[in-house]
Amino acid sequence: MAGSVGLIGGAALALPALLFASEAMAAAPDDDGDRADIQVIGHPDPEGLLPDQTAPKAISAISAAFITKQAPTLNAFQLVNLLPGANVSSSDPYGLSASSGLTLRGLGQDQIGVLMEGAPQNDIGYFYAYPSQFADAENVRQVVLAQGSVDIDSPVVAAAGGLLSLSLDEPAAEPGALVNLSAGSYDERRLFVRLDSGAIGSSGLKAFVSYSNNRADNWRGAGFDKRQHVDAKLLREWGDGNRASIAVSYNDASTSAYPSPSLADWHAQGRGFNFDERYTEGNTNYWRLYRGPFRNLYFAAPVHLKLSDAVVFDSTGYLQFGHGNSPYGTQLATTGNYLGNEELAQPIALPGAVNGVATVLGNYTGKQVRAGNVSKFTVQAGAHRITAGAWFDYGTDRVTQSYTSIGADGRPVDEWGYQDEAIHTADGRLLAYENQRTVTVTKAFFLADSIAITERLGVEIGFKGVDVRRNGRNYLPGPQSKVHFDRFAALPRAAVHYQLDERQQVFANVTTNFRTPNEFALYDSYYGGELVGQGTNALKNEYSVSEEMGYRYIGPSLSFSLTAFHYHFRNRQVATVIDSGGALVNSTVNAGSQTSYGLDGEIDYRPAKGVSVYVSGEYLHARLDDDLAVNGDYLPTKGRHAVSSPTFQFGVGSTYDDGRLFGSTALKYVGRQYATFTNDESIKGYATLDLSIGVHLAGLIDAQRTDLRLNAINVTNPRVLSGVQAVGTNAQDTFGRNGTLIAGSAPTYYIGSGRAFVATLSRAF
């Protein structure tokens, strides 16, 4: 692997080196002419790969100038892949599938808060965020990634891993339009259209609205993905910095899941591990049975008001709706069924049953409604900048695992899992494996003081109190009906920032975070009428304390940062997926205490105008502090590597833009990742390389902006496993500390996406 990484790294650096060399030769003086005086000047960052920062914490970002050179299909997780600590496991090159993952410093995406225009995007029940639902890349002004410390006013929980924040583009000051047409590998076809109103009369309002339509065949196996998306933003600015806006994002997608192999499956079939292309009677592996539809609608309304020279008020209200299905293939019999712990005396009607058995679509449907607001006052009082605010969030989550019949050709009667079309018992009740509704109410208050000790030295102290309450109803027959959970967490923090000179900074911080158990932990679960999972509200919160120390240098042509970090976790919760009676459901494992420490670094070098070379890297030491409790015994896990936590990873990116030609490279290497707590199974390190090249056509056709670019995604096409989809306690049978033989179970993995090429014609009007 080391040799291949070196080869790829050389290719990643070759393009900017050649382009820079051509510019240098063009600027060389004639041999027989007088040599002009040399003036040394700096070059501002042309691509926003390392924008200037002053926050007393680790923070990285990418801006629109970099985003517009990437493939327009990429989602937000894929776009931040180069940044320190970001480990992205992509299952498809275009970022359409939900089968993907992100970790930061070894912490999974259910530990990473996500905001868009200040509004939370994480699922309220399981804390996941789904990047394929976010705004189109053309409308994203900046993506900010805080690898560890989350802002005190951020309306998120379960964010020990950090915070990913998306800011939408501002509506243009003048009326205009943008059209992007893309075509590529696997019959990729995409249309994007955006309209800007410009200033609307004398109202002070301006707006944009965009629509995109994307379709691509699955790069491996049968199936295809479809996505329609609408973004809009209405903005008004007035007075001395006052502004109010409303952002809307609507997503309508139907995407195919990619099956995740075990290590044995991967060695036996490689990329051939797929769902079946054609349906045969009794087949539960047909690809149409794993095709999930989702619709989501997001509103965010941030407001910034300058009430006086010393007082500022900020508020963001939000409203969200979501409905989708994550289906799977399974079989039902007409007799011998249970509803909760109740045995059904009467047979159920199963269309297409043969000998009393039928293949059906197993539904995992979720309907969410969420509303909330976070508001704060900021008061400048001498050397003190005091922030005080509150956050309120109310959400309902309706989760049902039901069953829908399929036709003779394998097509589901209804892919959405609507109850009216689902299979019912003989007395008319919904036949369901899981049937529950949860209301989650989150209330928080925060108070912080930023003190300017001197012109160069600043200190911040703060406190945040968060209460999470869940009230639920289990609709399955059994002893459990109503459930309740209520937890409060006290989250103090402190930070210090010192400006050594106009270019150099040092900082340090201490931050606390917590994560409540997922909502499904509250509910009893049954299989064959037997209780297989005992719901409880006694599970402990995960609680973590993290520290960072960092140094930044911001120069005219060279900028870099280096951050040392340390975490300690109590009741570390690790997300996984379990097979529960034939249904794949989210679950968590309490891994006890964990200690992690390491280094993050990034460098941005700008040797000439329009040229940028970016390098990032991370060293991570993540170890379990406890043996893992399993079935009344303890697995020997103390001192083992934490799962999904590569010790080394690095990225190399470069961009070039001379006003006519432009291009970019993006190389990422991720080291070995363990998939079990006993470290008896892992996947090797791997590298990926993306390239782009394009030409600005403005001036050749007319004065309007017109760009043509070609993106090569994963150009070296390595056949690798890109990440751990479902961790395991132990892959091999292992004796516990007390002598019990604990059976092994195979983890599953993401298969790294294949190579793809996308050509895009972009035209402004």
Side-chain angles (χ1 to χ4, degrees):
M1 176 59 69
S4 62
V5 172
L7 178 62
I8 296 171
L13 293 171
L15 177 61
L18 288 173
L19 294 172
F20 176 49
S22 64
E23 181 168 323
M25 288 186 290
D30 295 336
D31 291 339
D32 56 354
D34 293 333
R35 191 174 299 273
D37 291 338
I38 298 175
Q39 182 182 9
V40 179
I41 61 173
H43 298 286
D45 184 355
E47 304 305 339
L49 282 168
L50 188 56
D52 297 351
Q53 304 288 353
T54 58
K57 62 180 181 179
I59 188 168
S60 304
I62 57 172
S63 70
F66 175 78
I67 294 170
T68 55
K69 290 180 173 58
Q70 311 312 305
T73 63
L74 299 186
N75 62 47
F77 286 1
Q78 292 171 307
L79 288 172
V80 300
N81 188 41
L82 276 181
L83 301 183
N87 174 18
V88 180
S89 303
S90 295
S91 289
D92 79 289
Y94 296 130
L96 292 168
S97 173
S99 301
S100 63
L102 169 67
T103 65
L104 281 177
R105 296 178 178 172
L107 303 175
Q109 65 193 69
D110 63 329
Q111 299 266 27
I112 302 167
V114 178
L115 301 178
M116 187 164 67
E117 287 292 283
Q121 305 296 298
N122 301 76
D123 183 287
I124 59 175
Y126 311 103
F127 307 117
Y128 276 85
Y130 305 95
S132 60
Q133 300 172 3
F134 300 164
D136 281 323
E138 291 93 337
N139 296 323
V140 176
R141 182 176 79 251
Q142 188 178 58
V143 183
V144 177
L145 188 67
Q147 288 90 344
S149 179
V150 175
D151 293 335
I152 197 169
D153 60 341
S154 296
V156 294
V157 295
L163 184 71
L164 187 149
S165 302
L166 290 87
S167 301
L168 293 187
D169 192 19
E170 303 282 46
E174 300 293 333
L178 176 68
V179 178
N180 286 352
L181 299 173
S182 300
S185 307
Y186 314 111
D187 202 21
E188 158 68 15
R189 304 189 299 271
R190 182 177 185 269
L191 165 69
F192 172 88
V193 179
R194 169 171 160 163
L195 301 175
D196 280 87
S197 68
I200 303 175
S202 59
S203 65
L205 295 170
K206 54 183 178 178
F208 78 77
V209 61
S210 71
Y211 168 79
S212 69
N213 190 310
N214 196 6
R215 184 205 180 280
D217 291 341
N218 289 4
W219 75 272
R220 65 179 178 92
F224 60 93
D225 297 329
K226 295 190 301 182
R227 177 183 186 265
Q228 295 186 89
H229 192 89
V230 175
D231 291 321
K233 187 173 182 179
L234 178 67
L235 171 66
R236 184 172 188 264
E237 297 174 296
W238 71 97
D240 183 14
N242 299 307
R243 55 183 286 134
S245 64
I246 298 176
V248 183
S249 190
Y250 171 73
N251 194 73
D252 183 351
S254 183
T255 58
S256 302
Y258 288 93
S260 299
S262 66
L263 204 57
D265 294 329
W266 171 249
H267 290 151
Q269 301 181 54
R271 290 179 171 179
F273 185 80
N274 297 310
F275 295 122
D276 296 334
E277 183 177 359
R278 290 181 172 80
Y279 179 73
T280 56
E281 186 178 305
N283 185 6
T284 61
N285 200 50
Y286 181 48
W287 70 271
R288 289 188 182 276
L289 304 181
Y290 297 85
R291 182 173 177 76
F294 290 89
R295 290 193 184 116
N296 307 86
L297 179 61
Y298 299 93
F299 296 90
V303 176
H304 177 80
L305 300 176
K306 187 174 181 181
L307 304 180
S308 70
D309 289 341
V311 182
V312 173
F313 175 71
D314 290 280
S315 178
T316 299
Y318 54 88
L319 178 63
Q320 304 168 3
F321 303 91
H323 176 215
N325 189 14
S326 298
Y328 55 93
T330 189
Q331 289 191 323
L332 282 179
T334 56
T335 59
N337 294 294
Y338 291 82
L339 194 61
N341 67 351
E342 177 188 332
E343 184 176 7
L344 301 179
Q346 299 295 321
I348 59 175
L350 289 178
V354 177
N355 297 324
V357 177
T359 300
V360 297
L361 183 75
N363 302 302
Y364 191 92
T365 61
K367 295 182 180 180
Q368 289 196 356
V369 179
R370 185 178 187 183
N373 177 273
V374 57
S375 296
K376 66 178 181 179
F377 286 93
T378 303
V379 180
Q380 188 71 48
H384 297 265
R385 189 175 72 250
I386 301 170
T387 300
W391 171 39
F392 177 80
D393 185 283
Y394 180 93
T396 63
D397 189 18
R398 185 73 167 90
V399 175
T400 308
Q401 286 203 61
S402 61
Y403 307 93
T404 302
S405 60
I406 64 175
D409 59 356
R411 292 175 179 262
V413 172
D414 168 42
E415 67 175 0
W416 285 91
Y418 289 122
Q419 293 190 16
D420 291 344
E421 300 290 342
I423 295 169
H424 287 69
T425 65
D427 58 3
R429 292 177 293 172
L430 180 70
L431 183 65
Y433 175 81
E434 185 177 4
N435 193 351
Q436 62 206 34
R437 180 179 183 270
T438 310
V439 175
T440 301
V441 178
T442 304
K443 292 176 287 185
F445 66 90
F446 50 90
L447 179 65
D449 188 6
S450 179
I451 310 167
I453 306 296
T454 69
E455 289 186 356
R456 293 187 175 186
L457 176 63
V459 174
E460 296 181 9
I461 55 175
F463 178 85
K464 187 173 186 177
V466 184
D467 180 81
V468 178
R469 185 176 75 243
R470 299 191 195 272
N471 289 307
R473 176 74 183 273
N474 190 346
Y475 295 100
L476 294 179
Q480 185 188 60
S481 176
K482 294 182 179 180
V483 301
H484 177 74
F485 172 95
D486 195 348
R487 293 289 172 81
F488 176 83
L491 304 174
R493 59 172 56 206
V496 60
H497 178 269
Y498 185 71
Q499 191 83 28
L500 297 172
D501 55 34
E502 64 178 5
R503 301 200 182 281
Q504 300 181 87
Q505 312 166 30
V506 292
F507 63 87
N509 65 64
V510 179
T511 308
T512 53
N513 279 284
F514 88 113
R515 181 190 192 280
T516 65
N518 291 348
E519 69 178 34
F520 62 75
L522 298 171
Y523 294 95
D524 289 348
S525 57
Y526 301 89
Y527 182 68
E530 299 293 329
L531 183 68
V532 295
Q534 178 74 56
T536 178
N537 62 3
L539 295 177
K540 296 180 179 179
N541 291 341
E542 174 186 284
Y543 195 87
S544 65
V545 180
S546 63
E547 303 91 20
E548 292 181 329
M549 294 181 62
Y551 169 83
R552 291 193 188 101
Y553 175 81
I554 303 173
S557 295
L558 176 70
S559 301
F560 66 87
S561 69
L562 182 67
T563 303
F565 58 87
H566 176 273
Y567 294 86
H568 180 71
F569 293 88
R570 298 198 307 264
N571 301 303
R572 169 84 165 92
Q573 296 180 22
V574 180
T576 186
V577 177
I578 60 173
D579 188 337
S580 181
L584 297 178
V585 297
N586 292 318
S587 183
T588 55
V589 175
N590 189 327
S593 295
Q594 177 181 318
T595 300
S596 303
Y597 59 82
L599 287 170
D600 282 338
E602 53 185 339
I603 302 171
D604 187 26
Y605 177 48
R606 304 172 294 278
K609 182 179 179 181
V611 179
S612 175
V613 179
Y614 173 85
V615 179
S616 70
E618 178 177 89
Y619 165 74
L620 173 64
H621 177 99
R623 297 291 186 273
L624 304 178
D625 297 332
D626 295 324
D627 289 332
L628 185 66
V630 177
N631 298 333
D633 204 339
Y634 292 89
L635 277 171
T637 58
K638 185 176 181 179
R640 304 289 187 181
H641 285 263
V643 295
S644 301
S645 301
T647 302
F648 293 102
Q649 54 179 311
F650 67 82
V652 180
S654 63
T655 58
Y656 174 81
D657 194 333
D658 65 5
R660 179 63 68 196
L661 297 176
F662 63 89
S664 70
T665 68
L667 163 72
K668 186 62 180 282
Y669 171 77
V670 178
R672 177 181 298 274
Q673 301 178 65
Y674 287 96
T676 63
F677 293 96
T678 55
N679 293 174
D680 57 357
E681 191 167 296
S682 64
I683 58 174
K684 298 178 181 178
Y686 68 94
T688 59
L689 176 63
D690 296 343
L691 302 174
S692 74
I693 189 168
V695 58
H696 299 296
L697 299 175
L700 297 179
I701 301 174
D702 54 28
Q704 296 295 325
R705 172 192 154 193
T706 306
D707 294 339
L708 177 64
R709 74 177 183 269
L710 176 66
N711 293 95
I713 305 170
N714 201 16
V715 67
T716 57
N717 199 24
R719 297 174 179 267
V720 297
L721 296 172
S722 62
V724 185
Q725 186 258 352
V727 302
T729 56
N730 52 302
Q732 307 298 322
D733 293 349
T734 305
F735 283 101
R737 295 294 191 189
N738 298 328
T740 305
L741 182 63
I742 301 173
S745 59
T748 56
Y749 303 92
Y750 297 112
I751 294 178
S753 66
R755 177 172 50 222
F757 296 93
V758 184
T760 301
L761 178 62
S762 179
R763 170 73 170 173
F765 297 91

